[in-house]
Amino acid sequence: MTSVQGTDVDIPTEDGTADAYLAHPADGAPRPAVLVFQDAFGLRPQLRSMADRLAEAGYTVLVPNLFYRHGRAPVFDLPEFIDPGARPEIFEKIMPVMQALTPELAMRDAGAYLGWLAERPEVADGPVALTGYCMGARLSLLTAGTYPDRVAAAAGFHGGRLATDTPDSPHLVAEKITAELYFGHADNDHSLPPEQIERLEAALTEAGVRHRCEVYEGAPHGFTQADTAAYHSEGDERHWAALLDLLKRTF
């Protein structure tokens, strides 16, 4: 198994400094980069562990604190295990912060993250891959359409509101995407009902985007996050297999 080095880093943005976690094989050799977009709970040990697993597979991985405007991670005081009873109180704090991260701000930040990666000695030349979870899946899709020359592949898992009927819906960037996409949807997810799944599929197909979208039967929203009650081991391992397969095809 590849030895991994993990480091806390700071990334200059137009609006301040984003703290982040960088993981890469310990030999320091340039590797293809993977930019990870967090779920609503933010940068925490669970996401650092996921970054380490990707680094063990041979990639340089960056997980920025998307909520850096509200403080360094952890932005929220989270329990070690997030059970359903704790979620209402936690989301009362999280929702205003999530809503403040508009698509415009998020894409401005994404440009900073991509630019920072391009200058790092641990990162190989060329485009990067993206993966996102929950709200991060939306940002993965938006980034692929906003920076098509910088993104070779993008994935999203248990994403919500990917194809709404609003003017800023992520699926509307489909015609600009050149990357290959993969989405693993949660089963019976109220944040991504069947009509949105169909709308996303239709938009990607019409735009000629190489993609695969799958519903993970029995896997609830948040199924990849082992520090929450939503964790679904079968769905999580399926996610890892799909993500690593996408990366192998890309790099």
Side-chain angles (χ1 to χ4, degrees), residues 106-227:
M107 289 305 96
R108 196 157 75 200
D109 290 344
Y113 306 145
L114 293 170
W116 187 87
L117 282 169
E119 299 298 322
R120 295 293 299 191
E122 306 93 342
V123 175
D125 292 339
V128 309
L130 315 171
T131 186
Y133 303 88
C134 183
M135 59 169 274
R138 298 179 73 246
L139 300 185
S140 184
L141 178 55
L142 281 170
T143 303
T146 304
Y147 300 97
D149 59 328
R150 292 288 298 125
V151 178
F157 298 91
H158 48 83
R161 304 185 70 248
L162 296 177
T164 69
D165 56 5
T166 60
D168 61 352
S169 178
H171 80 286
L172 297 176
V173 303
E175 63 183 13
K176 300 177 182 178
I177 293 173
T178 58
E180 180 179 351
L181 305 188
Y182 177 88
F183 286 96
H185 304 311
D187 196 10
N188 294 314
D189 189 345
H190 72 275
S191 69
L192 193 73
E195 59 268 25
Q196 287 197 38
I197 293 176
E198 294 171 7
R199 189 179 292 144
L200 174 63
E201 180 75 34
L204 296 177
T205 300
E206 184 177 346
V209 177
R210 292 167 297 153
H211 71 279
R212 186 174 181 182
C213 299
E214 299 180 309
V215 176
Y216 288 19
E217 185 176 353
H221 183 84
F223 60 80
T224 63
Q225 302 303 304
D227 60 347

Side-chain angles (χ1 to χ4, degrees), residues 15-44:
D15 299 318
T17 300
D19 53 308
Y21 180 67
L22 181 72
H24 57 86
D27 62 11
R31 306 297 177 99
V34 181
L35 174 58
V36 178
F37 290 116
Q38 66 181 52
D39 64 355
F41 296 122
L43 177 55
R44 61 195 192 283

